[in-house]
Amino acid sequence: MKLLFFASALTALSYVHASENNIELIEHWLEIESQKGKLQLAWQSNEQALKNQLVLLNQEKASLKKLLKNANAARSEVDAKRLALTEQQVQFESNQTTIQKALEKTYLFANRIAPLLPPPIQQDWQSKLNTYQQTSLSNSEKLEKLLSMFKSADEFNQRIAINNTSMTIPSNSGSDELLVNQMYLGLSYAWYISKNNQSVGVGRVEQTGWQWYHGNDALQLVGEQSQEQLRDKLLEIQNMLEKPTNAFFIQAPLAIAPIKKELL
């Protein structure tokens, strides 16, 4: 009887111990399941965050690629423009050199032919040539100055001009300073007659420059017999220039000098 009770008690204790173990195992299992759930939730949450971050990174990568492509395109365009500007600058410098050489040749030519011009134009040219040489002018300013010189000469050559001035004229006593009317037939020929009508002369361009002829030298040059004859013809020319309505045909006293242009 005692043995049976002991056995029953032992069995009950074993069952209680087993039950306690089972409870611990169940609690441990539940704890593991809870941790598993938390881990799954955490993973799911992190997975979405990582996916979102990955999307943002891909978008940023695409933006960077686009920016890089635009930057390369812009750099290529800038390089092309820089190359074009460099070529243009080289061309400008070449043109500038060509212009400078052309201006220098034109200046030397103008300086060479200035002594051949009538005194009024000659004085104007010499003044401008001195300014051209002594001042620092841009190419456009130099070109403008040279063009104005040739334009004034061309306009002078298109008409008969009267110039009232004073001249040093040879006389028996040496020379006299007289007021005269100079009458220019373009750039190549001229006459003068003094205000008192006592002195007459002829001027013309020659190979060596502008030359005035006075008195008997002037008569010999134009083939007149006397100073009075030459004076009368010059008075007729002067009267027609001052009063064009009184114009009529006369035989002007001319003696044009031959000029070898290749020697200028």
Side-chain angles (χ1 to χ4, degrees):
M1 186 72 180
K2 289 182 179 179
L3 289 173
L4 182 60
F5 176 78
F6 179 77
S8 298
L10 183 60
T11 301
L13 287 173
S14 298
Y15 177 78
V16 170
H17 182 70
S19 296
E20 289 178 352
N21 288 337
N22 288 337
I23 291 172
E24 289 180 358
L25 288 174
I26 291 171
E27 289 178 347
H28 187 60
W29 178 80
L30 290 174
E31 183 179 354
I32 290 173
E33 287 296 321
S34 176
Q35 290 179 355
K36 178 182 176 182
K38 291 179 179 179
L39 288 172
Q40 288 178 341
L41 289 174
W43 166 248
Q44 292 175 356
S45 177
N46 290 335
E47 182 183 21
Q48 188 60 43
L50 290 173
K51 286 182 178 180
N52 292 338
Q53 187 174 4
L54 183 61
V55 170
L56 293 175
L57 289 173
N58 287 332
Q59 291 176 350
E60 185 176 359
K61 181 180 178 181
S63 298
L64 290 174
K65 284 184 176 180
K66 185 176 181 180
L67 289 173
L68 183 60
K69 182 179 179 180
N70 293 337
N72 289 333
R75 185 177 62 185
S76 298
E77 184 177 357
V78 169
D79 290 340
K81 288 183 177 180
R82 183 182 293 110
L83 179 59
L85 289 174
T86 301
E87 292 175 349
Q88 191 176 28
Q89 182 179 0
V90 171
Q91 185 62 45
F92 283 159
E93 291 175 353
S94 176
N95 293 341
Q96 191 81 348
T97 301
T98 302
I99 291 172
Q100 287 175 347
K101 290 180 179 179
L103 288 173
E104 185 63 22
K105 287 183 178 179
T106 306
Y107 165 78
L108 293 175
F109 174 74
N111 199 53
R112 190 166 62 251
I113 66 172
L116 304 176
L117 299 173
I121 297 297
Q122 188 178 141
Q123 293 171 5
D124 177 62
W125 271 41
Q126 199 58 56
S127 175
K128 290 179 179 178
L129 288 172
N130 290 338
T131 303
Y132 183 100
Q133 188 70 9
Q134 295 172 2
T135 57
S136 178
L137 300 176
S138 65
N139 284 340
S140 60
E141 290 172 328
K142 290 179 179 179
L143 178 60
E144 182 179 357
K145 188 173 290 293
L146 290 171
L147 288 176
S148 69
M149 290 164 55
F150 287 107
K151 181 180 179 181
S152 65
D154 181 65
E155 291 175 348
F156 193 91
N157 194 44
Q158 300 302 317
R159 67 181 190 273
I160 298 177
I162 296 181
N163 182 46
N164 300 317
T165 185
S166 62
M167 291 182 64
T168 302
I169 299 174
S171 66
N172 295 330
S173 60
S175 63
D176 295 322
E177 192 77 16
L178 299 178
L179 292 175
V180 300
N181 285 337
Q182 296 173 339
M183 295 167 285
Y184 289 94
L185 187 63
L187 294 174
S188 59
Y189 205 80
W191 308 277
Y192 77 80
I193 182 169
S194 63
K195 292 289 187 180
N196 60 13
N197 297 333
Q198 297 302 309
S199 297
V200 293
V202 175
R204 68 179 187 177
V205 60
E206 298 182 354
Q207 196 71 49
T208 57
W210 186 268
Q211 181 66 47
W212 287 109
Y213 291 86
H214 313 277
N216 292 330
D217 291 336
L219 295 176
Q220 184 177 357
L221 183 68
V222 297
E224 294 292 340
Q225 297 299 317
S226 66
Q227 185 163 315
E228 287 73 18
Q229 288 179 341
L230 179 58
R231 179 195 63 197
D232 291 342
K233 289 185 177 181
L234 296 185
L235 285 173
E236 288 177 343
I237 295 173
Q238 180 178 277
N239 183 59
M240 284 190 293
L241 292 177
E242 293 175 344
K243 299 176 182 179
T245 56
N246 298 333
F248 55 93
F249 288 103
I250 65 169
Q251 185 176 357
L254 294 173
I256 304 298
I259 300 294
K260 295 182 179 180
K261 296 182 179 179
E262 64 273 11
L263 298 179
L264 295 179

